Amino acid sequence: MNPDALTAVLDGQWAQLRREIRAQFADYDHDEPHDLSTEEYRAWVLERLRELAKSGWHRLGFSTEYGGGGDIGGSVVSFEMLGYGDLSLMVKSGVQWGLFGGAIQLLGTAHHHERYLARIMDLDLLGCFAMTETGHGSDVQHLRTTATYDPATREFVIDTPDEQARKDYIGNAARHGRMAVVFAQLVTGGESRGVHAFVVPIRDEAGAPLAGVEIGDDGRKAGLNGVDNGRLTFHSVRVPRDALLNRYGDVTEDGTYTSPIDSDNRRFFTMLGTLIRGRVSVAGGAIHATERALAIATRYAEQRRQFARPDGSGEVVLLDYRAHQRKLLPAIARTYALHFAHEELTRALHDLQSSAEAGERAQRELESRAAGIKAVATWHATRTIQIAREACGGAGYLAENLLPALKADTDVFTTFEGDNTVLLQLVAKGLLTSYRDHFADLSPLATARLVAEQFVGAVIERTAARKVIERLVDAAPGRDDDGVLFDRGWQLKLFEDREQHVLEGCARRLRRAAEADPFEVFNDAQDHVLRAARVHVDRVVLEAFVAAIDRCADEEARALLNRLCDLYVLSNVEEDRAWFLEHGRLTSPRSKAVVAAVNDLCAELRPHARLLVDGFAVPEPFLRPAMLR
Amino acid sequence: MNPDALTAVLDGQWAQLRREIRAQFADYDHDEPHDLSTEEYRAWVLERLRELAKSGWHRLGFSTEYGGGGDIGGSVVSFEMLGYGDLSLMVKSGVQWGLFGGAIQLLGTAHHHERYLARIMDLDLLGCFAMTETGHGSDVQHLRTTATYDPATREFVIDTPDEQARKDYIGNAARHGRMAVVFAQLVTGGESRGVHAFVVPIRDEAGAPLAGVEIGDDGRKAGLNGVDNGRLTFHSVRVPRDALLNRYGDVTEDGTYTSPIDSDNRRFFTMLGTLIRGRVSVAGGAIHATERALAIATRYAEQRRQFARPDGSGEVVLLDYRAHQRKLLPAIARTYALHFAHEELTRALHDLQSSAEAGERAQRELESRAAGIKAVATWHATRTIQIAREACGGAGYLAENLLPALKADTDVFTTFEGDNTVLLQLVAKGLLTSYRDHFADLSPLATARLVAEQFVGAVIERTAARKVIERLVDAAPGRDDDGVLFDRGWQLKLFEDREQHVLEGCARRLRRAAEADPFEVFNDAQDHVLRAARVHVDRVVLEAFVAAIDRCADEEARALLNRLCDLYVLSNVEEDRAWFLEHGRLTSPRSKAVVAAVNDLCAELRPHARLLVDGFAVPEPFLRPAMLR
């Protein structure tokens, strides 16, 4: 069988673009930078970024008016495919075009666009996205940098009150950025109007910090050392009134605050919501990096041998060992599942952001889905790349075999663009309030109070290919049938039922918040809340897998994907079978049958392992570790 | 409460030595090398190694005859305490004195000792332990380098037949080593006598490779970049007859092979067995590095705040969140448990290697215990340090905050000194054959055949403080009592019963090997085999924890350790509760009660978190990440 049939299903809506990008990657011939000093590596990445700018793909996300491509989904796809290669380059491009350029496009208005967008696309203007502070990351609402309007000079004065409020971990800040989009509390007429974004020059043409701007260097990091992360401290830095990115809030010359959105809270979360593309993109990058790691580890596992067979027929290939199959095959299944779910998310993002008027609920739902898939995909990347490294033994520890950089570079994905734990809380909150809460408030504590008022009962809303899923669920056999484990309808019902049950239990616990200390109630249920989010994401991901199989026209590929989907489901059930047992969803014999089924599926899929990772279609220049040469 | 009482229990038998080493560390003032080039870092570590040589502790493992300290346990302790600091230094010292020096001491005879030991201790002679080859790591018996005796010149000729047989990942090889202990198949009179070790000079005084010795560099690695790992290829390199480390096998001038041990197999595993100290040491280093990571993450979690309390009383300290407690506290409990088990292992090693005549069964049992604790402790380190990094968010990703190096450096511990998966198979084999198999054969395939002949039934042999454990088990309440979860006797019985059941089931499956293809039978049961080893180690570790509490004279410390032990047990049961449910060992309500108990214990221990990590007594110079300054 040819892997192309699998690739076609994975490629989804932007297949044509993906093929074009792959064709260009086929000629990629830069050595991977394994042993550069931090400064050399930063310079190397900047050079690659300039090459990348010639490709034009980075323009896809910007509006056509200013020379962009106006293709939001395409911009995510072209970004995430950088996840096959050097991840510092991917992240640096995300900082420049996604975060910095994206903030100016989405939070700014016409004069900002005219002034900056073309220069940003051309790399004529390098910039930073200065949101996070040393003391406040996930809790953006409580950032402490201030931008105080001075009507006398018609300027904003940007200030860092203390070290905990300095901007930290800011990409492009330590070396290359000339400008920063700075998030700060807007103060005018003595009143704070919440966090807004400002365009603040930080370096002159020669690269020296501007007056009042103190620039620090985050120095060496666990990974991504080609990105120059740094710290920004502002000492009464004055910027003109129009430095405010004023799409959602403005200040008139006399200092009067105006906004199309009345509520400070709602405005804040609307602004944050526009930045969702970053989360979708990081999830995609994580999935692509995971695919590369699995392709490398699987090729090695098919080549390396260990211990002689007792019958004298040579040494055993690593992947013939069950323990080795168990390391790689369920991870491959889950990567397919997440890839499908992510492709679907990209389509939803594209549709929503391309339409003139998206409903607020649809926006909240999408933010929640992006948060959930980002959390699950990046944890999956961390775990899987670790497994891939260990599966290659000592060879997997050498930089020349690529896995060390993959591991170190992706590690922070679980933390940036929203800490995963906090993101899962956001997901749970959306589910528990049926997205009727207007604000995608990241604060876990808001959840407890809201649920008390709003929760009406868990209603599972299917996300993908509703018809095929309904048909499968309706046709599911009774729970006592044999072979039920492999029935897709039964599997779907099992996931739906788990989600509903966990969610309802969670709501029951949080309702007590009306009577007791909300923090204690929330905290007492925190593990339950996180679990509700996870099982929800598991179900959404399964539905995406089912929908993808439904789209697959190739008979053989479809059959293989069906088995892979079984492995995704049953390895998930296996990991969580304590819950299914505790709640009477699985009997002991059936629970043991699940474990046996995972073993059998690993053995059944083992001959197809290479085909499955070839389906990821990672460009060959990125699959040349020394151990496979 | 003062942490010293906890430290006293952790310190165990070599408390005095530990105090001396800590006192010396108190003045340690080298900056951690975060951003050195590979060559600079290698040079830095060599310099630190020379300083370390002045301390004298590295002499502890060598015999007093040649200027050593003759204190085997002390040598392990002084090595593992280097795990608090730069891990490249720890590993480099292990390569030089533990592996290279240890091989010469344990496999060589008087003339090797006289010639080399003093020079090795003084760092006058730097050397390598050249065992692993590119194509053979865990399967040492099938190494392919050859040492062919030439009676005409009375020399051995060392040869690397092809690239897969080159020595790889060899510490000290890329830069500093002048000599290597090379493991090769000894061939004399046309007959192969199995793997033996040879002393082979590889560089001249000026550092240039000697004729016929090709030296490669493994280059940059995921971590441990202060250790110069390299590759050695031998092209007909001639060494004199006495280059053979001839304690267990010798060749006379005319080429006649002689050995005090008749069986090639038995001789080989006896030789390997002497090298057990490396595994014990790596486990200890991993545990100490884990303690440092937990101390850092816990201090940060007590300082960093996130999200405002709803009642306006300020922001919530990270460690007040249940999800955060769940990340750190069970890991702290498990680290205590492993520390106690490891201290006990060190005593056992010391006693066995210090006594003139140790029984063969005792030796096999100790090898098995070392293998099991090495596997569990190093996986625990990888997982826990990852958790610690994530628990510190973006700050945890910066090199200046120490966790990146801890993560990257310890990562390979799961792979070197025996791949963990292979080691667990060795443990299972020992259990299944009651150590009656003479050879600690790492080959998993040998297991299946042996069990068919030898297994008589699982008999749980208690390792530690038998009396106190017996007393507790005898006093255990019936399984239907309330509060049984916190009864130590019940917990001990639960672990014993699990081990016995898993082991017996495993043996039943492997017995089929007599009838069927042994590889298929083994492979089909591989996950079961690995599980048998893990639950065995869990039980051994619990017994060590119980014995440690029994030794603790301080009332308060004892009470705290008792709660911590409960957390160790119940978080272990929680993770594995699917098995307990499937096998009728826990009812659904009790299983849910286990989860609730873990939550309660986390909340109960949270106020003592700082005290608990202070108990590890990590010297303060190693606890100064920038984020805590």
Side-chain angles (χ1 to χ4, degrees), chain A residues 127-146:
Chain A
C128 315
F129 182 81
M131 182 184 268
T132 298
E133 296 172 358
T134 304
H136 285 87
S138 296
D139 190 1
V140 178
Q141 210 164 3
H142 293 96
L143 292 178
R144 293 178 42 250
T145 302
T146 53

mmCIF file of all heavy atoms in Angstrom, chain A residues 127-146:
data_model
loop_
_atom_site.group_PDB
_atom_site.id
_atom_site.type_symbol
_atom_site.label_atom_id
_atom_site.label_comp_id
_atom_site.label_asym_id
_atom_site.label_seq_id
_atom_site.Cartn_x
_atom_site.Cartn_y
_atom_site.Cartn_z
ATOM 1 N N GLY A 127 9.676 42.630 15.368
ATOM 2 C CA GLY A 127 8.989 43.072 16.581
ATOM 3 C C GLY A 127 8.702 41.980 17.592
ATOM 4 O O GLY A 127 8.918 40.788 17.358
ATOM 5 N N CYS A 128 8.211 42.416 18.733
ATOM 6 C CA CYS A 128 7.940 41.525 19.860
ATOM 7 C C CYS A 128 6.464 41.601 20.250
ATOM 8 O O CYS A 128 5.792 42.592 19.997
ATOM 9 C CB CYS A 128 8.725 41.952 21.091
ATOM 10 S SG CYS A 128 10.435 42.366 20.810
ATOM 11 N N PHE A 129 6.041 40.594 20.935
ATOM 12 C CA PHE A 129 4.705 40.522 21.503
ATOM 13 C C PHE A 129 4.917 40.499 23.014
ATOM 14 O O PHE A 129 5.179 39.458 23.598
ATOM 15 C CB PHE A 129 4.034 39.249 20.997
ATOM 16 C CG PHE A 129 2.619 39.043 21.464
ATOM 17 C CD1 PHE A 129 1.563 39.693 20.837
ATOM 18 C CD2 PHE A 129 2.333 38.166 22.504
ATOM 19 C CE1 PHE A 129 0.250 39.474 21.244
ATOM 20 C CE2 PHE A 129 1.017 37.955 22.917
ATOM 21 C CZ PHE A 129 -0.020 38.612 22.286
ATOM 22 N N ALA A 130 4.808 41.684 23.623
ATOM 23 C CA ALA A 130 5.222 41.801 25.026
ATOM 24 C C ALA A 130 4.011 41.742 25.944
ATOM 25 O O ALA A 130 3.496 42.760 26.401
ATOM 26 C CB ALA A 130 6.011 43.089 25.231
ATOM 27 N N MET A 131 3.566 40.535 26.192
ATOM 28 C CA MET A 131 2.413 40.351 27.072
ATOM 29 C C MET A 131 2.859 39.863 28.444
ATOM 30 O O MET A 131 2.709 40.557 29.440
ATOM 31 C CB MET A 131 1.422 39.379 26.437
ATOM 32 C CG MET A 131 0.167 39.155 27.269
ATOM 33 S SD MET A 131 -0.930 37.919 26.543
ATOM 34 C CE MET A 131 -2.002 38.937 25.553
ATOM 35 N N THR A 132 3.460 38.679 28.490
ATOM 36 C CA THR A 132 3.802 38.044 29.772
ATOM 37 C C THR A 132 4.762 38.891 30.611
ATOM 38 O O THR A 132 5.684 39.497 30.093
ATOM 39 C CB THR A 132 4.453 36.678 29.491
ATOM 40 O OG1 THR A 132 3.493 35.866 28.822
ATOM 41 C CG2 THR A 132 4.887 35.983 30.769
ATOM 42 N N GLU A 133 4.515 38.894 31.912
ATOM 43 C CA GLU A 133 5.436 39.533 32.852
ATOM 44 C C GLU A 133 6.019 38.471 33.775
ATOM 45 O O GLU A 133 5.458 37.377 33.890
ATOM 46 C CB GLU A 133 4.690 40.607 33.661
ATOM 47 C CG GLU A 133 4.188 41.736 32.751
ATOM 48 C CD GLU A 133 3.279 42.751 33.458
ATOM 49 O OE1 GLU A 133 2.998 42.565 34.663
ATOM 50 O OE2 GLU A 133 2.869 43.706 32.787
ATOM 51 N N THR A 134 7.100 38.812 34.431
ATOM 52 C CA THR A 134 7.745 37.844 35.325
ATOM 53 C C THR A 134 6.735 37.289 36.334
ATOM 54 O O THR A 134 6.682 36.089 36.577
ATOM 55 C CB THR A 134 8.917 38.508 36.062
ATOM 56 O OG1 THR A 134 9.800 39.042 35.071
ATOM 57 C CG2 THR A 134 9.654 37.520 36.933
ATOM 58 N N GLY A 135 5.918 38.177 36.876
ATOM 59 C CA GLY A 135 4.992 37.751 37.925
ATOM 60 C C GLY A 135 3.606 37.362 37.442
ATOM 61 O O GLY A 135 2.808 36.825 38.211
ATOM 62 N N HIS A 136 3.287 37.657 36.175
ATOM 63 C CA HIS A 136 1.963 37.304 35.667
ATOM 64 C C HIS A 136 2.056 36.767 34.250
ATOM 65 O O HIS A 136 2.456 37.483 33.341
ATOM 66 C CB HIS A 136 1.010 38.504 35.700
ATOM 67 C CG HIS A 136 0.535 38.828 37.083
ATOM 68 N ND1 HIS A 136 1.242 39.663 37.924
ATOM 69 C CD2 HIS A 136 -0.535 38.393 37.794
ATOM 70 C CE1 HIS A 136 0.609 39.743 39.089
ATOM 71 N NE2 HIS A 136 -0.468 38.977 39.052
ATOM 72 N N GLY A 137 1.682 35.502 34.112
ATOM 73 C CA GLY A 137 1.684 34.882 32.803
ATOM 74 C C GLY A 137 0.270 34.574 32.369
ATOM 75 O O GLY A 137 -0.346 35.322 31.612
ATOM 76 N N SER A 138 -0.272 33.514 32.919
ATOM 77 C CA SER A 138 -1.615 33.099 32.528
ATOM 78 C C SER A 138 -2.668 34.129 32.913
ATOM 79 O O SER A 138 -3.690 34.262 32.249
ATOM 80 C CB SER A 138 -1.956 31.766 33.202
ATOM 81 O OG SER A 138 -1.076 30.768 32.738
ATOM 82 N N ASP A 139 -2.422 34.849 33.966
ATOM 83 C CA ASP A 139 -3.413 35.808 34.449
ATOM 84 C C ASP A 139 -3.177 37.178 33.796
ATOM 85 O O ASP A 139 -2.782 38.142 34.439
ATOM 86 C CB ASP A 139 -3.289 35.910 35.976
ATOM 87 C CG ASP A 139 -4.438 36.707 36.587
ATOM 88 O OD1 ASP A 139 -5.330 37.149 35.829
ATOM 89 O OD2 ASP A 139 -4.434 36.886 37.816
ATOM 90 N N VAL A 140 -3.482 37.221 32.498
ATOM 91 C CA VAL A 140 -3.192 38.420 31.692
ATOM 92 C C VAL A 140 -3.957 39.638 32.205
ATOM 93 O O VAL A 140 -3.488 40.765 32.138
ATOM 94 C CB VAL A 140 -3.548 38.159 30.210
ATOM 95 C CG1 VAL A 140 -3.301 39.410 29.372
ATOM 96 C CG2 VAL A 140 -2.736 37.003 29.667
ATOM 97 N N GLN A 141 -5.134 39.377 32.729
ATOM 98 C CA GLN A 141 -5.971 40.489 33.184
ATOM 99 C C GLN A 141 -5.298 41.314 34.284
ATOM 100 O O GLN A 141 -5.619 42.474 34.460
ATOM 101 C CB GLN A 141 -7.306 39.920 33.701
ATOM 102 C CG GLN A 141 -8.454 40.875 33.530
ATOM 103 C CD GLN A 141 -9.800 40.178 33.661
ATOM 104 O OE1 GLN A 141 -9.858 38.970 33.940
ATOM 105 N NE2 GLN A 141 -10.881 40.918 33.466
ATOM 106 N N HIS A 142 -4.393 40.677 34.995
ATOM 107 C CA HIS A 142 -3.754 41.390 36.097
ATOM 108 C C HIS A 142 -2.310 41.792 35.822
ATOM 109 O O HIS A 142 -1.535 41.993 36.757
ATOM 110 C CB HIS A 142 -3.863 40.569 37.389
ATOM 111 C CG HIS A 142 -5.285 40.457 37.855
ATOM 112 N ND1 HIS A 142 -6.078 39.372 37.559
ATOM 113 C CD2 HIS A 142 -6.079 41.329 38.535
ATOM 114 C CE1 HIS A 142 -7.289 39.559 38.062
ATOM 115 N NE2 HIS A 142 -7.317 40.740 38.649
ATOM 116 N N LEU A 143 -1.972 41.917 34.560
ATOM 117 C CA LEU A 143 -0.663 42.464 34.214
ATOM 118 C C LEU A 143 -0.491 43.800 34.911
ATOM 119 O O LEU A 143 -1.480 44.506 35.146
ATOM 120 C CB LEU A 143 -0.579 42.674 32.697
ATOM 121 C CG LEU A 143 -0.570 41.401 31.856
ATOM 122 C CD1 LEU A 143 -0.544 41.759 30.378
ATOM 123 C CD2 LEU A 143 0.610 40.523 32.211
ATOM 124 N N ARG A 144 0.741 44.181 35.193
ATOM 125 C CA ARG A 144 0.924 45.383 36.008
ATOM 126 C C ARG A 144 1.689 46.513 35.334
ATOM 127 O O ARG A 144 1.872 47.576 35.916
ATOM 128 C CB ARG A 144 1.493 44.986 37.372
ATOM 129 C CG ARG A 144 0.427 44.169 38.139
ATOM 130 C CD ARG A 144 0.892 43.674 39.499
ATOM 131 N NE ARG A 144 1.623 44.672 40.189
ATOM 132 C CZ ARG A 144 2.945 44.629 40.428
ATOM 133 N NH1 ARG A 144 3.629 43.582 40.051
ATOM 134 N NH2 ARG A 144 3.537 45.600 41.052
ATOM 135 N N THR A 145 2.121 46.307 34.109
ATOM 136 C CA THR A 145 2.695 47.418 33.345
ATOM 137 C C THR A 145 1.578 48.448 33.112
ATOM 138 O O THR A 145 0.434 48.073 32.874
ATOM 139 C CB THR A 145 3.220 46.901 31.993
ATOM 140 O OG1 THR A 145 4.189 45.894 32.243
ATOM 141 C CG2 THR A 145 3.829 48.016 31.154
ATOM 142 N N THR A 146 1.904 49.737 33.195
ATOM 143 C CA THR A 146 0.860 50.750 32.992
ATOM 144 C C THR A 146 1.177 51.621 31.777
ATOM 145 O O THR A 146 2.339 51.834 31.420
ATOM 146 C CB THR A 146 0.750 51.673 34.220
ATOM 147 O OG1 THR A 146 2.052 52.194 34.508
ATOM 148 C CG2 THR A 146 0.242 50.914 35.425
#
